[in-house]
Amino acid sequence: MRLPLYISVPHAGKRVAPELQDLCVLRTEDILADHDTGADAIYFPLQDQVAGFSTTDITRSLLDLNRAPDDIGGDGVIKDHTCWNVPIFRHFPGMELIRTLLERYYFPYHEQLSAGAGTGTIKLGIDCHTMSAIGPPVGPDPGRMRPLVCLSNGDGTCPEEWLRSLAHCFASACKEQVAINTPFRGGYITRSHAAEMPWLQLEISQTDVFSNAFKRDCVLEGLQRFCHTVFGDRT
């Protein structure tokens, strides 16, 4: 039986939306540096293990699904620079183009997440990311070493006991300390969809000390332990 979880992977994409190809000045290496390296290898295998799964192939450098739709510019839904402070556009998109991008790519993704909450079989949503091993210039912890795992429910987006239980399950699976709400406290996806069902954010370090296969296995084992512990026979 599938785990009663909804997995969201919004930052694994590497493709430039065709509407922005004439405006984007990023090199391929800039896009790769800005996306969630390893997210596909770690999280995509979960598709057959969970009750709901969403991702996108559009790069977050140009359209960030984990930002509010009216957060335009800066590090918002439509950015003017990457997290490494690399300029993105020849000139910034106009509002008509931005509305088109939101309608075609952004809102359908969030509608999928909302629909998952209405199934009655999904108990928890997890917004899944990978993070730079050391904090980039645009972030809450520039230049600092990051933990292997960070879990976030900064605004109470899921029950505290669930968060603590999942942290314990991941620590047992990975044999590494798990950080809670440090350096991240949860993004727009967890905060905006928590009114529909509990959500939390999961960040796995991109460190090369551990392979993506090890990280994948740790995530799956941690989620299985958590669902058995919290939901019991309901899984």
Side-chain angles (χ1 to χ4, degrees):
M1 186 176 293
R2 296 190 179 212
L3 303 176
L5 306 172
Y6 200 111
I7 297 297
S8 161
V9 190
H11 291 166
K14 306 170 189 175
R15 183 168 73 96
V16 175
E19 298 87 349
L20 292 172
Q21 286 181 349
D22 291 340
L23 295 181
C24 177
V25 296
L26 293 177
R27 301 168 300 171
T28 299
E29 51 263 42
D30 297 323
I31 291 174
L32 294 178
D34 199 44
H35 95 300
D36 279 11
T37 302
D40 52 354
I42 297 168
Y43 299 121
F44 285 13
L46 297 176
Q47 293 182 64
D48 296 332
Q49 304 290 331
V50 297
F53 187 95
S54 289
T55 191
T56 179
D57 66 347
I58 301 296
T59 174
R60 61 82 60 97
S61 300
L62 302 181
L63 180 69
D64 195 333
L65 303 176
N66 198 28
R67 301 292 186 272
D70 59 352
D71 182 9
I72 297 169
D75 188 37
V77 61
I78 306 292
K79 307 175 188 298
D80 51 33
H81 57 273
T82 72
C83 70
W84 299 102
N85 269 333
V86 178
I88 294 172
F89 296 111
R90 183 169 289 107
H91 57 81
F92 200 77
M95 285 307 303
E96 183 176 353
L97 177 53
I98 290 174
R99 284 192 291 269
T100 297
L101 294 167
L102 294 176
E103 290 295 333
R104 289 180 180 173
Y105 305 108
Y106 181 93
F107 291 122
Y109 189 90
H110 284 269
E111 288 165 4
Q112 289 178 21
L113 303 188
S114 295
T119 64
T121 60
I122 298 174
K123 309 298 182 183
L124 174 67
I126 305 178
D127 194 43
C128 295
H129 300 263
T130 67
M131 56 183 173
S132 301
I134 297 175
V138 179
D141 58 340
R144 296 182 184 176
M145 184 66 68
R146 289 171 165 176
L148 178 62
V149 182
C150 171
L151 295 172
S152 309
N153 75 333
D155 288 337
T157 56
C158 81
E160 189 71 19
E161 59 268 27
W162 289 15
L163 185 72
R164 298 287 174 182
S165 176
L166 184 55
H168 176 75
C169 291
F170 275 140
S172 297
C174 302
K175 305 298 188 290
E176 290 284 325
Q177 186 174 1
V178 175
I180 293 179
N181 289 319
T182 303
F184 296 102
R185 296 185 57 80
Y188 179 77
I189 285 176
T190 58
R191 297 168 193 267
S192 63
H193 289 280
E196 302 162 347
M197 70 177 179
W199 274 84
L200 60 81
Q201 182 170 294
L202 166 62
E203 297 269 1
I204 301 292
S205 174
Q206 296 168 10
T207 176
D208 57 8
V209 173
F210 303 100
S211 69
N212 285 333
F214 172 82
K215 297 171 189 177
R216 176 201 65 212
D217 292 345
C218 284
V219 169
L220 179 56
E221 181 180 342
L223 293 179
Q224 289 172 332
R225 290 186 182 210
F226 167 79
C227 288
H228 176 74
T229 300
V230 173
F231 305 126
D233 293 338
R234 286 177 288 173
T235 62

